[in-house]
Amino acid sequence: MGAYLVRRVLLIFPTLFGIMLINFAVIQIVPGGPVEQMIAQMTGTAVESTARFSGGGEGELNSSFDASNFDDGDSKYRGAQGLDPDIIKEIEVMYGMDKPAHERFFKMLKSYIFFDFGESFFRDQKVTSLVLDKMPVSISLGLWTTLLVYLISIPLGIRKAIKDGSRFDIISSSIVTIGYAIPNFLFAVILIVFFAGGRFYDIFPLRGLVSENFEELNLLAQIKDYFWHLTLPLLAMIVSGFAGLTFLTKNSFIDQINQQYVMTARAKGLSERKVLYGHVFRNAMLIVIAGFPSAFIGILFSSSLFIEVIFSLDGLGLLGYEAALTRDYPVIFATLYFFSLLGLIMGIIGDFMYSLIDPRIDFESRE
């Protein structure tokens, strides 16, 4: 197992390099980069008139300019026709866009090796600080959602396996499938309409993770306020999240129930409960428990994106969404690098958990 883990760790580097290279190449051909964002602000087609930059300069570029700054030459940037080339060149230098793409890419990777993610173009703050500030919100959503999904899916999946083919199994499968078919963002909107002052009831808050007077509350009131704000976001994420795990648990139990060792245990006179939870449970739960790290990463960095945007939760999903809109490259690439690395590490941890839960599994023997 040790040699296998070493190989998996070594594979992180080329895999991460490929992920960053592909995404960097795609970003280069997407219109509306930071230079174009700045030009839009200068020409009055953007909301704000100034922007913070960090790609090679130390300050702000004011959007004020007069008619003498215009030129009739062509420009490679959309909306910059007629703008003085010297101004465009200054913007490129400040954002680090004056260098060839391959130089920018390898310079970025060199910094990222030491977890130096630079500074946001438009937020006047280091990317590391931004990520750390937003992390608690996303971790709250991810941890509670994963925990509740497992607490619901495992007992439900076991019950469905025991009652396979019964009315309970058919009805529950229909409900779970319908819930899975509804996108979490659509279900979030439905919850808002019904329970957050949309049209019917105004029971739960619409925005934020805590109330404005959170610091003034006592501990019990803070806990109550925290979960009061989390109720609708968690419901929206759970409904579409536990279907796959429920069916995985059911199928895993059914597969184990039909094994020879289960028939032997029953033949020895063991009770059905002892057979199920003393023998079947460990083997059936192997794939479910070992998949926890991957499930948490999936929920944390994919499912929470729309939920954070819809409920105005200031987490990593909302940060990434706003960074994509503004083409804030340092934030985009830094979060991509960090979470890709975290996902690869969690995959290795998942394999290790397989081997830890069941020592009979030997990944090295497969090669």
Side-chain angles (χ1 to χ4, degrees):
M1 186 64 183
Y4 171 78
L5 290 177
V6 170
R7 286 194 294 270
R8 285 292 303 273
V9 170
L10 293 177
L11 279 174
I12 287 178
F13 301 102
T15 305
L16 195 58
F17 178 84
I19 292 172
M20 297 300 297
L21 178 61
I22 293 173
N23 283 274
F24 186 87
V26 171
I27 287 292
Q28 303 312 303
I29 61 177
V30 176
V35 176
E36 289 177 307
Q37 295 280 338
M38 187 57 155
I39 291 172
Q41 293 174 3
M42 294 180 65
T43 55
T45 57
V47 176
E48 299 179 357
S49 61
T50 60
R52 177 72 179 174
F53 55 83
S54 62
E58 298 291 339
E60 291 183 350
L61 181 65
N62 198 298
S63 65
S64 60
F65 60 94
D66 54 38
S68 63
N69 289 331
F70 278 85
D71 184 82
D72 292 330
D74 293 332
S75 174
K76 63 181 179 179
Y77 298 108
R78 185 176 59 183
Q81 285 78 9
L83 194 62
D84 190 340
D86 291 337
I87 294 179
I88 298 176
K89 182 66 176 177
E90 182 183 353
I91 298 173
E92 288 180 332
V93 172
M94 290 178 175
Y95 285 123
M97 304 298 290
D98 58 318
K99 299 180 178 61
H102 68 278
E103 289 186 18
R104 288 186 279 118
F105 176 72
F106 286 107
K107 180 182 179 181
M108 178 185 71
L109 286 186
K110 183 179 179 180
S111 300
Y112 283 10
I113 291 175
F114 302 100
F115 291 94
D116 178 12
F117 299 124
E119 188 175 331
S120 167
F121 282 159
F122 304 111
R123 289 177 176 263
D124 196 17
Q125 190 175 353
K126 287 189 174 296
V127 175
T128 304
S129 299
L130 276 173
V131 172
L132 292 177
D133 287 344
K134 313 300 182 184
M135 186 77 78
V137 175
S138 295
I139 288 181
S140 293
L141 283 175
L143 280 176
W144 286 114
T145 302
T146 306
L147 178 62
L148 291 173
V149 164
Y150 268 74
L151 289 177
I152 294 172
S153 300
I154 292 177
L156 181 59
I158 294 173
R159 184 68 176 174
K160 286 173 63 63
I162 297 173
K163 300 290 186 180
D164 185 37
S166 66
R167 178 178 296 181
F168 170 81
D169 181 40
I170 295 173
I171 294 176
S172 60
S173 293
S174 301
I175 296 174
V176 169
T177 302
I178 292 173
Y180 180 74
I182 301 176
N184 57 8
F185 66 88
L186 177 59
F187 192 70
V189 173
I190 294 173
L191 290 174
I192 290 173
V193 171
F194 278 90
F195 302 108
R199 278 196 173 186
F200 297 92
Y201 304 101
D202 190 5
I203 302 175
F204 298 99
L206 180 59
R207 302 171 62 87
L209 195 61
V210 294
S211 300
E212 293 181 359
N213 64 336
F214 182 78
E215 298 295 335
E216 303 172 4
L217 303 175
N218 58 49
L219 179 60
L220 185 61
Q222 286 182 341
I223 295 174
K224 180 180 178 182
D225 182 76
Y226 171 72
F227 284 105
W228 182 50
H229 282 76
L230 269 181
T231 300
L232 294 187
L234 286 180
L235 280 175
M237 295 178 67
I238 289 171
V239 167
S240 61
F242 70 89
L245 186 59
T246 299
F247 288 121
L248 178 63
T249 303
K250 174 190 173 181
N251 294 334
S252 181
F253 254 78
I254 290 177
D255 179 65
Q256 292 298 320
I257 287 173
N258 294 325
Q259 295 295 323
Q260 181 66 42
Y261 75 89
V262 176
M263 291 185 284
T264 303
R266 285 172 175 165
K268 291 181 178 180
L270 296 179
S271 65
E272 191 67 17
R273 184 178 182 85
K274 183 68 175 178
V275 171
L276 286 175
Y277 295 100
H279 293 76
V280 175
F281 185 82
R282 177 184 176 182
N283 294 323
M285 286 296 98
L286 172 63
I287 190 172
V288 176
I289 296 174
F292 181 87
S294 299
F296 173 69
I297 291 297
I299 291 173
L300 183 59
F301 303 124
S302 60
S303 300
S304 63
L305 170 60
F306 292 113
I307 300 302
E308 289 183 12
V309 173
I310 292 172
F311 288 99
S312 299
L313 299 175
D314 196 14
L316 296 172
L318 185 60
L319 174 66
Y321 173 75
E322 293 176 347
L325 288 181
T326 59
R327 303 298 193 270
D328 197 343
Y329 288 171
V331 176
I332 293 174
F333 289 121
T335 52
L336 174 68
Y337 175 87
F338 178 75
F339 297 134
S340 296
L341 177 61
L342 187 59
L344 292 170
I345 293 174
M346 285 299 181
I348 296 175
I349 293 175
D351 287 348
F352 177 73
M353 288 184 66
Y354 275 111
S355 179
L356 185 65
I357 294 172
D358 190 347
R360 295 173 299 175
I361 295 179
D362 185 5
F363 289 99
E364 295 183 17
S365 63
R366 301 182 306 171
E367 302 178 3

